[in-house]
Amino acid sequence: VGPKVVAHTGDIAPKTMIGAKVDGTGVLIANIESTFYAITSKCTHMGCNLSEGFLHGNTVTCPCHGSQFNVTNGQVVHGPAKNPERSLSIRVEDGKIAIDL
Ligand code: FES
């Protein structure tokens, strides 16, 4: 299908994240030191929306039971979640952020 533009760089302040949908899949886009990262945002524990959680450094904490994921690679930092999120390839061009599912 190819990458889809889901946001603009100006929408995501440094050290913050937003949630978006790409073809019905929830994604989270984070601005870490002016580099943008995207992972799937449906928590692999019980499905809460990680983009409604908390971002500290490159770690997002799920609002429901506190699972933590590294937004730069989707890996679990802390349970109860056991499975990683999917790390999505992201392209930034002319201030537009495009994601490939
Ligand atoms: S749903 Fe995210 S930690 Fe339980």
Side-chain angles (χ1 to χ4, degrees):
V1 184
K4 289 240 165 111
V5 174
V6 293
H8 291 84
T9 52
D11 300 338
I12 315 173
K15 303 182 194 214
T16 68
M17 62 183 170
I18 62 164
K21 289 250 181 188
V22 181
D23 293 336
T25 298
V27 303
L28 163 175
I29 306 156
N31 178 346
I32 313 282
E33 310 282 352
S34 295
T35 301
F36 295 86
Y37 296 93
I39 61 172
T40 47
S41 60
K42 185 175 174 187
C43 184
T44 60
H45 179 230
M46 288 180 69
C48 287
N49 186 349
L50 296 175
S51 70
E52 291 170 2
F54 312 95
L55 182 68
H56 289 289
N58 57 15
T59 301
V60 61
T61 302
C62 181
C64 291
H65 318 100
S67 288
Q68 295 184 319
F69 299 87
N70 182 331
V71 298
T72 71
N73 58 20
Q75 295 301 310
V76 175
V77 176
H78 206 277
K82 291 194 171 66
N83 296 314
E85 295 294 334
R86 215 143 54 79
S87 179
L88 305 168
S89 85
I90 191 162
R91 270 179 244 182
V92 182
E93 209 179 289
D94 294 336
K96 295 190 193 85
I97 297 175
I99 289 180
D100 244 333
L101 274 188

